């Protein structure tokens, strides 16, 4: 089990990006994070090559965005830093077949999530820096905030410093994607991986969605209208999350009624209690001891049957039908709408 490390709690660093910008950077993959990182670095003055499958969606989109593209092996060979921004389960094969044969001593390999390195899915060659830069937000937000002259806070970590410059490289990369504008915290691959997985599973995705579904079911099973249950348990969640995001518990309490505050303080612990926390600790233990990673790797190797079944069950929940109907009447939620 990993012993958590105290991070360097600094949000500002002295960063000189001149040397970093003098050498080509390869961004492997052009999905959510890949597109944001590549465009932000290009706009920051970096020489960016996007490594993608020729003729694929990523290749077409990157070229339309004005970026230079190349097959992954060629991009890796041409760059001094290779950022692997494809899905976690693709890293092992991409690194083994396309990147490892085409990197040289003094190069750097960067990840936006520590899963692959922390769980030993690749073997870092001698002479190569292995670094992490993890924006704390989705790629679309990383790009939008950069375009506004702002940024998304980033974590960074060093797994292998072969050149003595790994930390400078990580900080320069962070600056060039806009992260240093918002703030930077130094961590470790283990801490970033384990806390990220835990947050997704217990709070942000798994915990939040299960809480919403349970609330919706409780109200509809008691005879309340599905539409009203949807508004109370899902739609209004954004309003509360925005307040928490902007100012923590204090701002939420400032902007909700005293009745809501009293209900929060009285009933919140009845729903989320010591038993819930014990289940959270089980989730964290599975992450720390590698159980989750092994299960997820095996699930992928088997063709993701359980993943697909559980996802289908989630998307077939009645709240999805109710929500789709209600959102169709809200033009301001439609993509690209200026209403």
């Amino acid at each position: 089990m990993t012993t958590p490390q105290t991070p360097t709690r600094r949000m500002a660093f002295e960063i000189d990006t001149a040397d970093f910008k003098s050498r080509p950077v390869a961004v492997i993959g052009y999905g959510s994070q890949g597109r944001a990182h590549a465009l932000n670095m290009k706009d920051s003055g970096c020489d960016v090559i996007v490594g993608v499958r020729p003729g694929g969606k990523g290749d077409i989109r990157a070229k339309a965005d004005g970026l230079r593209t190349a097959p992954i092996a060629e991009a890796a060979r041409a760059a001094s830093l290779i950022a692997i921004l494809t899905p976690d389960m693709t890293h092992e094969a991409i690194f083994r077949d396309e990147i490892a044969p085409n990197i040289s001593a003094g190069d750097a390999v960067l990840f936006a999530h520590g899963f692959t390195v922390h769980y030993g899915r690749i073997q870092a060659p001698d002479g190569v820096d292995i670094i992490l830069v993890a924006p704390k937000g989705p790629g679309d937000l990383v790009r939008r905030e950069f375009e506004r002259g702002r940024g998304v806070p980033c974590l960074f970590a060093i797994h292998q410093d072969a050149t003595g410059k790994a930390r400078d490289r990580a900080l320069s990369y962070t600056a060039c994607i806009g992260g240093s504008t918002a703030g930077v915290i130094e961590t470790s691959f283990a801490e970033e991986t384990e806390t990220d997985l835990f947050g997704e599973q217990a709070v942000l995705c798994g915990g939040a969605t299960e809480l919403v579904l349970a609330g919706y079911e409780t109200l509809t099973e008691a005879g309340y209208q599905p539409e009203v249950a949807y508004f109370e348990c899902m739609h209004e969640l954004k309003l509360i999350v925005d307040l928490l995001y902007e100012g923590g518990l204090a701002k939420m309490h400032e902007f909700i009624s005293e009745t809501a505050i009293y209900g929060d303080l009285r009933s919140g612990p009845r729903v989320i209690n010591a038993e819930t926390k014990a289940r959270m600790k089980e989730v964290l233990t599975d992450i720390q001891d590698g159980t989750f990673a092994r299960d997820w790797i095996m699930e992928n190797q088997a063709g993701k049957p359980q993943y697909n079944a559980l996802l289908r069950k989630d998307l077939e929940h009645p709240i999805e039908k109710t929500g789709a109907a209600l959102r169709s009447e809200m033009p301001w939620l439609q993509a690209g709408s200026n209403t």
Side-chain angles (χ1 to χ4, degrees):
M1 183 178 295
T2 301
T3 301
Q5 298 181 1
T6 301
T8 302
R9 289 183 173 85
R10 288 183 59 193
M11 294 292 283
F13 291 85
E14 301 259 341
I15 303 172
D16 182 355
T17 61
D19 184 61
F20 181 82
K21 291 179 181 179
S22 70
R23 305 175 188 182
V25 177
V27 172
I28 309 303
Y30 204 66
S32 174
Q33 290 288 347
R35 182 173 187 268
H37 291 214
L39 287 173
N40 290 4
M41 283 193 289
K42 177 177 179 288
D43 290 346
S44 293
C46 298
D47 179 10
V48 179
I49 311 165
V50 180
V52 285
R53 178 173 57 85
K57 288 182 181 179
D59 186 25
I60 294 169
R61 192 177 189 194
K63 286 176 178 173
D65 286 337
L67 290 159
R68 177 162 55 118
T69 69
I72 293 174
E74 183 179 323
R77 191 162 50 248
S80 64
L81 184 145
I82 302 100
I84 303 179
L85 302 179
T86 58
D88 292 330
M89 291 299 108
T90 67
H91 291 181
E92 185 177 8
I94 287 174
F95 186 84
R96 180 190 64 234
D97 300 335
E98 308 288 345
I99 295 175
N102 294 292
I103 54 177
S104 305
D107 287 346
V109 178
L110 178 145
F111 297 88
H113 178 42
F115 187 103
T116 299
V117 173
H118 180 51
Y119 292 117
R121 302 300 291 166
I122 67 164
Q123 297 302 314
D126 294 337
V128 173
D129 292 340
I130 304 294
I131 60 182
L132 168 80
V133 172
K136 301 313 294 174
D140 181 61
L141 183 64
V142 172
R143 180 58 180 164
R144 281 189 283 116
E145 289 296 283
F146 181 91
E147 290 178 314
R148 293 169 178 165
R150 303 187 306 212
V152 171
C154 290
L155 304 182
F156 79 96
I158 311 303
H159 175 73
Q160 181 168 291
D161 184 5
T163 66
K165 298 180 179 180
R167 197 166 182 274
D168 290 341
R169 282 171 147 171
L171 286 170
S172 293
Y173 187 97
T174 302
C176 290
I177 65 170
S180 60
T181 303
V184 183
I185 294 178
E186 187 168 9
T187 183
S188 66
F189 271 70
E191 184 174 59
E192 186 280 331
T193 302
E194 292 170 5
T195 56
D196 187 74
L197 293 175
F198 175 81
E200 291 169 349
Q201 294 174 33
V203 181
L204 305 176
C205 302
T209 55
E210 287 302 313
L211 189 65
V212 166
L213 297 183
Y216 177 88
E217 291 168 3
T218 299
L219 289 178
T220 55
E221 288 167 6
Y224 298 102
Q225 295 180 71
E227 293 80 5
V228 175
Y230 173 85
F231 275 119
E232 292 300 331
C233 297
M234 182 178 279
H235 181 83
E236 291 191 37
L237 182 63
K238 182 185 185 304
L239 307 178
I240 300 302
V241 169
D242 284 350
L243 292 173
L244 291 169
Y245 175 81
E246 293 166 5
L249 297 175
K251 184 164 186 177
M252 183 193 74
H253 289 154
E254 180 184 352
F255 284 88
I256 64 176
S257 70
E258 284 191 334
T259 304
I261 295 172
Y262 179 64
D264 166 1
L265 300 175
R266 180 177 183 274
S267 298
R270 298 167 69 189
V271 178
I272 307 300
N273 50 34
E275 183 178 352
T276 311
K277 190 172 179 181
R279 300 292 83 76
M280 286 183 165
K281 288 181 178 179
E282 291 176 1
V283 170
L284 181 57
T285 297
D286 278 355
I287 292 167
Q288 290 175 324
D289 67 17
T291 299
F292 171 77
R294 288 191 296 271
D295 288 349
W296 178 222
I297 291 164
M298 291 176 64
E299 177 70 12
N300 273 266
Q301 292 172 345
K304 298 191 285 192
Q306 184 182 38
Y307 170 94
N308 290 326
L310 291 173
L311 180 59
R312 185 166 56 251
K313 180 182 177 183
D314 222 28
L315 297 180
E316 291 174 355
H317 192 281
I319 199 173
E320 283 294 278
K321 183 177 180 180
T322 302
L326 288 171
R327 290 190 297 271
S328 71
E329 301 298 325
M330 304 177 197
W332 61 90
L333 294 182
Q334 309 310 310
S337 172
N338 294 318
T339 305

